[in-house]
Amino acid sequence: MANISLAVAASHAPGLIGMFDQAPEASRKMVASAYGSLTRQIREAELDVILMVANDHMANNRIREYPDFVVGMAPEHRGPAEFFKDWLGCGEYVLPGRPDIAEKILNGLNRRGVPVSATRENLNFDDNISVPVVKTGIEASGVPIIPILQNVTVPPFPDQHRCYEIGRQLADLIENDLPSDLRVGLFATGGMSHEPGGVRDFWIDEDFDNWFLGLLGNGSHEKVLSEVTLERLDRAGIGGTGELLSWILVMGAIGERPCDVLGYTAWDKWRCGIGAVSWDMTPAPAGR
Amino acid sequence: MSLENIDRALVSHDLVQDLKWNAGLREEFVKDEAAVLDRYALTAAERTAIEERDFRTLYDLGFHPYLGAQFARILFANNTSGATGAVQRLLASIRREPDPGRTEASGA
């Protein structure tokens, strides 16, 4: 029986790499502290693989043929994609993949009624994968990753209830389909509030972000599912804040557990609220 | 500006995706924009909006804002870190405000 040994979530924003040094000191300190904590946790968890649940910003598919989920089955994952390299201010990275595990995720989720596509080609990565990889030193850790890119920008896409349920199916798959004693990390990356390319771009809804982190800290998943609706996400930024659905998917996979909020900051030129959390994976989840 | 109103069939989406995925096409677009636009079955309204950097009209036609931010970086030659200049020009267009000009875009 494979184990989920780590579950974390953090924002990505291109400016976290290329514009990091220009940010106010308090924002830089928070990011260094929170992502530094994630770096340590990834090292200490002795993971065999990280499933990175990230948002696809229309980097891999045309808008009229948009899958809800794409799993990366490549033996190596190279990034960032050419168009995004200068924009991110990011060097190139190469991460080992786990095609064997990725195939089981593809088949296991589809058998459980979750339509998932996959590719053996290298996916195009922008800030979705590049920022968490660079900020948490995953390349140096040597831990393989499997990207699971999620549609949260081209309607219709799965809402909070469906994402949570898909997370539960992913947990069942990890428990029953993956090799025994495999140590799996779950890393949700996306959000927080922002409206990329929209009329409120550069605006960050700090009240929403702090409210959301408070909900996670308080630990009631029922409350998250009843209150963090697609409509509420849109009010905090259309096309961007919905990226938090990746966090909700991971919450479904781990069940209710204590959640440590590692920090939050908002600097308008990052164009996105920046927060990070880590769930305590030591105790058994409630109700299981 | 709800995402429910995007037009998945809009040809401009294909143009932007191709420009993102093909560096050679992007170079060609910078050198001879009209020649590249000629290859796409854009409606007259789409083409004019692109030529005039009129994102408001493009959005009203059903263009996805996420691709709008990416297209702005191509149109305003501002694909460096953060690219705030490109986004400010896009914002001015969709808010119908004066174009902040190319100064910040080229210097960002």
Side-chain angles (χ1 to χ4, degrees), chain A residues 216-234:
Chain A
L216 268 54
N218 291 334
S220 167
H221 286 193
E222 193 179 322
K223 197 168 168 63
V224 169
L225 293 176
S226 64
E227 299 194 10
V228 185
T229 60
L230 296 187
E231 187 274 335
R232 183 69 193 90
L233 289 164
D234 271 1

PDB file of all heavy atoms in Angstrom, chain A residues 216-234:
ATOM      1  N   LEU A 216      -8.763  26.829   5.707  1.00  0.00           N
ATOM      2  CA  LEU A 216      -7.901  25.654   5.676  1.00  0.00           C
ATOM      3  C   LEU A 216      -7.283  25.403   7.051  1.00  0.00           C
ATOM      4  O   LEU A 216      -7.185  24.262   7.513  1.00  0.00           O
ATOM      5  CB  LEU A 216      -6.799  25.809   4.614  1.00  0.00           C
ATOM      6  CG  LEU A 216      -7.136  25.255   3.228  1.00  0.00           C
ATOM      7  CD1 LEU A 216      -8.417  25.808   2.675  1.00  0.00           C
ATOM      8  CD2 LEU A 216      -5.986  25.472   2.267  1.00  0.00           C
ATOM      9  N   GLY A 217      -6.881  26.504   7.697  1.00  0.00           N
ATOM     10  CA  GLY A 217      -6.286  26.378   9.026  1.00  0.00           C
ATOM     11  C   GLY A 217      -7.275  25.817  10.028  1.00  0.00           C
ATOM     12  O   GLY A 217      -6.910  25.038  10.920  1.00  0.00           O
ATOM     13  N   ASN A 218      -8.563  26.192   9.887  1.00  0.00           N
ATOM     14  CA  ASN A 218      -9.589  25.696  10.799  1.00  0.00           C
ATOM     15  C   ASN A 218      -9.964  24.246  10.503  1.00  0.00           C
ATOM     16  O   ASN A 218     -10.526  23.568  11.352  1.00  0.00           O
ATOM     17  CB  ASN A 218     -10.842  26.578  10.734  1.00  0.00           C
ATOM     18  CG  ASN A 218     -10.570  27.948  11.319  1.00  0.00           C
ATOM     19  OD1 ASN A 218      -9.689  28.107  12.156  1.00  0.00           O
ATOM     20  ND2 ASN A 218     -11.315  28.949  10.868  1.00  0.00           N
ATOM     21  N   GLY A 219      -9.702  23.819   9.290  1.00  0.00           N
ATOM     22  CA  GLY A 219      -9.760  22.386   9.004  1.00  0.00           C
ATOM     23  C   GLY A 219     -11.097  21.811   8.586  1.00  0.00           C
ATOM     24  O   GLY A 219     -11.185  20.613   8.354  1.00  0.00           O
ATOM     25  N   SER A 220     -12.146  22.613   8.454  1.00  0.00           N
ATOM     26  CA  SER A 220     -13.438  22.046   8.077  1.00  0.00           C
ATOM     27  C   SER A 220     -13.559  21.968   6.552  1.00  0.00           C
ATOM     28  O   SER A 220     -13.776  22.974   5.878  1.00  0.00           O
ATOM     29  CB  SER A 220     -14.585  22.899   8.625  1.00  0.00           C
ATOM     30  OG  SER A 220     -15.806  22.503   8.011  1.00  0.00           O
ATOM     31  N   HIS A 221     -13.435  20.789   6.018  1.00  0.00           N
ATOM     32  CA  HIS A 221     -13.552  20.638   4.575  1.00  0.00           C
ATOM     33  C   HIS A 221     -14.991  20.874   4.110  1.00  0.00           C
ATOM     34  O   HIS A 221     -15.225  21.344   3.001  1.00  0.00           O
ATOM     35  CB  HIS A 221     -13.055  19.258   4.149  1.00  0.00           C
ATOM     36  CG  HIS A 221     -11.557  19.141   4.197  1.00  0.00           C
ATOM     37  ND1 HIS A 221     -10.857  18.110   3.622  1.00  0.00           N
ATOM     38  CD2 HIS A 221     -10.622  19.948   4.763  1.00  0.00           C
ATOM     39  CE1 HIS A 221      -9.566  18.285   3.820  1.00  0.00           C
ATOM     40  NE2 HIS A 221      -9.400  19.378   4.524  1.00  0.00           N
ATOM     41  N   GLU A 222     -15.940  20.529   4.972  1.00  0.00           N
ATOM     42  CA  GLU A 222     -17.341  20.753   4.628  1.00  0.00           C
ATOM     43  C   GLU A 222     -17.600  22.241   4.373  1.00  0.00           C
ATOM     44  O   GLU A 222     -18.296  22.631   3.444  1.00  0.00           O
ATOM     45  CB  GLU A 222     -18.217  20.240   5.771  1.00  0.00           C
ATOM     46  CG  GLU A 222     -19.675  20.123   5.413  1.00  0.00           C
ATOM     47  CD  GLU A 222     -20.492  19.583   6.585  1.00  0.00           C
ATOM     48  OE1 GLU A 222     -20.001  18.694   7.303  1.00  0.00           O
ATOM     49  OE2 GLU A 222     -21.608  20.094   6.775  1.00  0.00           O
ATOM     50  N   LYS A 223     -16.999  23.062   5.213  1.00  0.00           N
ATOM     51  CA  LYS A 223     -17.167  24.511   5.062  1.00  0.00           C
ATOM     52  C   LYS A 223     -16.497  25.006   3.776  1.00  0.00           C
ATOM     53  O   LYS A 223     -17.037  25.846   3.055  1.00  0.00           O
ATOM     54  CB  LYS A 223     -16.570  25.221   6.290  1.00  0.00           C
ATOM     55  CG  LYS A 223     -17.027  26.654   6.464  1.00  0.00           C
ATOM     56  CD  LYS A 223     -16.612  27.162   7.853  1.00  0.00           C
ATOM     57  CE  LYS A 223     -16.769  28.659   7.986  1.00  0.00           C
ATOM     58  NZ  LYS A 223     -18.150  29.122   7.867  1.00  0.00           N
ATOM     59  N   VAL A 224     -15.339  24.466   3.484  1.00  0.00           N
ATOM     60  CA  VAL A 224     -14.655  24.840   2.232  1.00  0.00           C
ATOM     61  C   VAL A 224     -15.543  24.499   1.044  1.00  0.00           C
ATOM     62  O   VAL A 224     -15.753  25.319   0.139  1.00  0.00           O
ATOM     63  CB  VAL A 224     -13.285  24.121   2.112  1.00  0.00           C
ATOM     64  CG1 VAL A 224     -12.695  24.293   0.717  1.00  0.00           C
ATOM     65  CG2 VAL A 224     -12.318  24.647   3.169  1.00  0.00           C
ATOM     66  N   LEU A 225     -16.096  23.287   1.065  1.00  0.00           N
ATOM     67  CA  LEU A 225     -16.889  22.854  -0.095  1.00  0.00           C
ATOM     68  C   LEU A 225     -18.191  23.634  -0.231  1.00  0.00           C
ATOM     69  O   LEU A 225     -18.661  23.860  -1.340  1.00  0.00           O
ATOM     70  CB  LEU A 225     -17.172  21.346   0.007  1.00  0.00           C
ATOM     71  CG  LEU A 225     -15.924  20.468  -0.137  1.00  0.00           C
ATOM     72  CD1 LEU A 225     -16.275  19.006   0.075  1.00  0.00           C
ATOM     73  CD2 LEU A 225     -15.258  20.664  -1.491  1.00  0.00           C
ATOM     74  N   SER A 226     -18.758  24.065   0.882  1.00  0.00           N
ATOM     75  CA  SER A 226     -20.023  24.800   0.787  1.00  0.00           C
ATOM     76  C   SER A 226     -19.795  26.270   0.444  1.00  0.00           C
ATOM     77  O   SER A 226     -20.654  26.914  -0.150  1.00  0.00           O
ATOM     78  CB  SER A 226     -20.823  24.667   2.081  1.00  0.00           C
ATOM     79  OG  SER A 226     -20.127  25.277   3.146  1.00  0.00           O
ATOM     80  N   GLU A 227     -18.636  26.821   0.796  1.00  0.00           N
ATOM     81  CA  GLU A 227     -18.437  28.271   0.629  1.00  0.00           C
ATOM     82  C   GLU A 227     -17.483  28.671  -0.492  1.00  0.00           C
ATOM     83  O   GLU A 227     -17.579  29.771  -1.034  1.00  0.00           O
ATOM     84  CB  GLU A 227     -17.965  28.874   1.960  1.00  0.00           C
ATOM     85  CG  GLU A 227     -19.002  28.669   3.063  1.00  0.00           C
ATOM     86  CD  GLU A 227     -18.745  29.514   4.288  1.00  0.00           C
ATOM     87  OE1 GLU A 227     -17.880  30.412   4.236  1.00  0.00           O
ATOM     88  OE2 GLU A 227     -19.419  29.271   5.302  1.00  0.00           O
ATOM     89  N   VAL A 228     -16.535  27.814  -0.827  1.00  0.00           N
ATOM     90  CA  VAL A 228     -15.585  28.172  -1.888  1.00  0.00           C
ATOM     91  C   VAL A 228     -16.163  27.697  -3.228  1.00  0.00           C
ATOM     92  O   VAL A 228     -15.695  26.738  -3.843  1.00  0.00           O
ATOM     93  CB  VAL A 228     -14.186  27.585  -1.617  1.00  0.00           C
ATOM     94  CG1 VAL A 228     -13.189  28.072  -2.670  1.00  0.00           C
ATOM     95  CG2 VAL A 228     -13.699  27.987  -0.227  1.00  0.00           C
ATOM     96  N   THR A 229     -17.195  28.377  -3.655  1.00  0.00           N
ATOM     97  CA  THR A 229     -17.888  28.034  -4.902  1.00  0.00           C
ATOM     98  C   THR A 229     -17.184  28.676  -6.097  1.00  0.00           C
ATOM     99  O   THR A 229     -16.352  29.586  -5.930  1.00  0.00           O
ATOM    100  CB  THR A 229     -19.325  28.565  -4.848  1.00  0.00           C
ATOM    101  OG1 THR A 229     -19.244  30.000  -4.689  1.00  0.00           O
ATOM    102  CG2 THR A 229     -20.091  27.985  -3.660  1.00  0.00           C
ATOM    103  N   LEU A 230     -17.531  28.240  -7.297  1.00  0.00           N
ATOM    104  CA  LEU A 230     -16.941  28.863  -8.491  1.00  0.00           C
ATOM    105  C   LEU A 230     -17.301  30.345  -8.553  1.00  0.00           C
ATOM    106  O   LEU A 230     -16.482  31.181  -8.951  1.00  0.00           O
ATOM    107  CB  LEU A 230     -17.414  28.146  -9.759  1.00  0.00           C
ATOM    108  CG  LEU A 230     -17.001  26.679  -9.918  1.00  0.00           C
ATOM    109  CD1 LEU A 230     -17.395  26.171 -11.314  1.00  0.00           C
ATOM    110  CD2 LEU A 230     -15.514  26.474  -9.689  1.00  0.00           C
ATOM    111  N   GLU A 231     -18.506  30.666  -8.129  1.00  0.00           N
ATOM    112  CA  GLU A 231     -18.941  32.075  -8.136  1.00  0.00           C
ATOM    113  C   GLU A 231     -18.088  32.903  -7.159  1.00  0.00           C
ATOM    114  O   GLU A 231     -17.660  34.013  -7.473  1.00  0.00           O
ATOM    115  CB  GLU A 231     -20.430  32.127  -7.764  1.00  0.00           C
ATOM    116  CG  GLU A 231     -21.075  33.486  -7.895  1.00  0.00           C
ATOM    117  CD  GLU A 231     -20.905  34.367  -6.667  1.00  0.00           C
ATOM    118  OE1 GLU A 231     -20.723  33.801  -5.553  1.00  0.00           O
ATOM    119  OE2 GLU A 231     -20.915  35.596  -6.813  1.00  0.00           O
ATOM    120  N   ARG A 232     -17.812  32.326  -5.980  1.00  0.00           N
ATOM    121  CA  ARG A 232     -16.998  33.042  -4.982  1.00  0.00           C
ATOM    122  C   ARG A 232     -15.557  33.206  -5.488  1.00  0.00           C
ATOM    123  O   ARG A 232     -14.932  34.241  -5.272  1.00  0.00           O
ATOM    124  CB  ARG A 232     -17.022  32.263  -3.654  1.00  0.00           C
ATOM    125  CG  ARG A 232     -16.266  32.957  -2.513  1.00  0.00           C
ATOM    126  CD  ARG A 232     -16.999  34.218  -2.069  1.00  0.00           C
ATOM    127  NE  ARG A 232     -16.184  35.074  -1.203  1.00  0.00           N
ATOM    128  CZ  ARG A 232     -15.385  36.036  -1.631  1.00  0.00           C
ATOM    129  NH1 ARG A 232     -15.219  36.245  -2.942  1.00  0.00           N
ATOM    130  NH2 ARG A 232     -14.715  36.786  -0.784  1.00  0.00           N
ATOM    131  N   LEU A 233     -15.056  32.173  -6.136  1.00  0.00           N
ATOM    132  CA  LEU A 233     -13.700  32.241  -6.699  1.00  0.00           C
ATOM    133  C   LEU A 233     -13.631  33.339  -7.760  1.00  0.00           C
ATOM    134  O   LEU A 233     -12.671  34.122  -7.795  1.00  0.00           O
ATOM    135  CB  LEU A 233     -13.299  30.891  -7.289  1.00  0.00           C
ATOM    136  CG  LEU A 233     -13.023  29.765  -6.278  1.00  0.00           C
ATOM    137  CD1 LEU A 233     -13.021  28.403  -6.968  1.00  0.00           C
ATOM    138  CD2 LEU A 233     -11.700  29.986  -5.546  1.00  0.00           C
ATOM    139  N   ASP A 234     -14.654  33.426  -8.606  1.00  0.00           N
ATOM    140  CA  ASP A 234     -14.682  34.451  -9.659  1.00  0.00           C
ATOM    141  C   ASP A 234     -14.724  35.863  -9.062  1.00  0.00           C
ATOM    142  O   ASP A 234     -14.118  36.792  -9.604  1.00  0.00           O
ATOM    143  CB  ASP A 234     -15.889  34.253 -10.578  1.00  0.00           C
ATOM    144  CG  ASP A 234     -15.579  33.322 -11.745  1.00  0.00           C
ATOM    145  OD1 ASP A 234     -14.434  32.830 -11.814  1.00  0.00           O
ATOM    146  OD2 ASP A 234     -16.469  33.086 -12.574  1.00  0.00           O
TER     147      ASP A 234
END
